[in-house]
Amino acid sequence: MAGRKRPISSSSAAPAAEQPPTESKPPMTNDPPPKLAEILKVFLPFFAAYLYLILYHYKIESQLRRSILINVAISAAGFLVTLRMIPVASRYLLKANLFGYDINKRGTPQGSVKVTESLGIVVGLVYYVVAVLFQYFNLTADSIWLVEYNAALATICFMILLGFVDDVLDVPWRVKLVLPSVAALPLLMAYAGHTTILIPKPLVPIVGLEILDLGWIYKLYMGLLAVFCTNSINIHAGLNGLEVGQSVVIACAILIHNVMQIGASGNSEYQQAHAFSIYIIQPFLATSLALLSYNWYPSSVFVGDTYTYFAGMTMAVAGILGHFSETLLIFFLPQVLNFLLSLFQLLGFVPCPRHRLPKFDPQTGLLTGTDDGTLVNLFLRQFGRMSEKSLCIKLLIFQAAACGFCFFLRWILTGWYK
């Protein structure tokens, strides 16, 4: 995550005057976070529309609907547990010196406050427990989905571990590119689904095939997708609430897409694949909303690379096992744009500072875009200086617009493209 600065060790050669003050943050209480009401006001209309689609709009088979609603209930419990666990974990992480300073508030009293790092570990652990408990209600020992479900959880859990290792050891970014491919191995090895793709209808006369079996190339593609999703969330960061906010928006789009596909299809296997994706994403969305209520501006916790890796891998797994990787990439359109803007710096053709953040003016509280190749800086260069909260909201609106564009594109191309 790019929006914080870790404390400089005592062995550092940097002058003491350049180090941030060591003022401690007041201990967090177990009271609900003050931003919880703000987050719920935005999310509850989506949740009401989502339940309407499941319960009334689409004719979903009763057993399948029951499984989805059980998952909703367990996810809601995960949301409440995460709300309670974050303040507790924050105190322990602060004692372990896992904290940072908010660079976008440097020069103000808030910029000298210790903000606890790596709270993604709490979200990941609660998510994992919720996902495992769901097996008791839905997956029997002879279920054909059990192996892939456990492989998906193993991949996600592996990514949480590697993300936390990165937060503690501060792994170089070149190594970060490799970590998701290692974490994806359990999923790729256990994957027993199809490795075919539908040829777009305009190309069928040219290719001479309607369905093409890619074999091992398809698994390679899945691995690359996992690497991209994981790292793209990680580099599109640097603002309070941006990492979790973009993940929440994409997760909402994934849920709507899955429900629409279940309602529009009469194929049982196809419906189960999209239901499988729902089972993975619902607990993720619930626990992420709890984290967002602490991470929204002004952040009382930082999510760390633990969360960004966990979020990217979870959504990649949902897209792979739900068989909608093309749609997932369109949901990730802002992240694709941010990656393309970052490419020359990441490859070393242009100098790449450690923190590619905007410049903060403590007098006005506004951010100014730099020449660094990120979507955050591009927005500031195009729309002018603005506050951190306003910039984050605009970026999340852009994320939601990209998801809406994906639904529009699918509607336009249905029946003609595939």
Side-chain angles (χ1 to χ4, degrees), residues 135-342:
Q135 293 186 62
Y136 175 79
F137 297 97
N138 192 67
L139 298 174
T140 59
D142 59 347
S143 172
I144 60 175
W145 290 99
L146 186 61
V147 173
E148 288 191 359
Y149 188 80
N150 284 326
L153 293 187
T155 291
I156 294 170
C157 184
F158 202 178
M159 197 69 256
I160 295 170
L161 171 63
L162 293 176
F164 191 68
V165 168
D166 184 17
D167 279 333
V168 174
L169 301 181
D170 208 10
V171 176
W173 74 265
R174 291 176 179 82
V175 179
K176 295 179 182 182
L177 293 176
V178 181
L179 296 181
S181 59
V182 175
L185 286 177
L187 177 64
L188 298 180
M189 295 302 101
Y191 181 76
H194 67 73
T195 57
T196 59
I197 60 171
L198 291 175
I199 302 297
K201 291 181 179 179
L203 298 179
V204 170
I206 301 174
V207 179
L209 295 171
E210 292 186 359
I211 299 176
L212 177 63
D213 190 352
L214 297 178
W216 65 269
I217 298 177
Y218 190 85
K219 289 193 174 184
L220 175 62
Y221 163 73
M222 291 193 298
L224 293 175
L225 180 66
V227 171
F228 170 76
C229 290
T230 304
N231 284 284
S232 66
I233 295 291
N234 191 44
I235 65 175
H236 185 35
L239 304 176
N240 291 175
L242 180 57
E243 297 94 326
V244 191
Q246 63 183 300
S247 302
V248 165
V249 172
I250 297 172
C252 289
I254 290 174
L255 288 179
I256 294 295
H257 170 71
N258 283 320
V259 172
M260 290 174 64
Q261 295 305 304
I262 291 174
S265 175
N267 185 295
S268 176
E269 183 178 353
Y270 186 80
Q271 289 180 335
Q272 286 293 336
H274 283 282
F276 191 98
S277 179
I278 289 176
Y279 304 153
I280 291 173
I281 290 296
Q282 283 183 162
F284 168 74
L285 177 59
T287 51
S288 294
L289 284 170
L291 179 59
L292 184 59
S293 64
Y294 289 96
N295 184 241
W296 188 245
Y297 182 93
S299 291
S300 55
V301 301
F302 287 149
V303 300
D305 290 341
T306 309
Y307 178 80
T308 57
Y309 285 173
F310 159 63
M313 183 60 77
T314 302
M315 290 186 285
V317 167
I320 290 169
L321 297 182
H323 307 303
F324 56 92
S325 57
E326 291 178 351
T327 300
L328 183 66
L329 282 176
I330 303 177
F331 287 155
F332 271 75
L333 193 58
Q335 288 73 24
V336 172
L337 177 58
N338 185 67
F339 172 74
L340 294 176
L341 291 170
S342 304

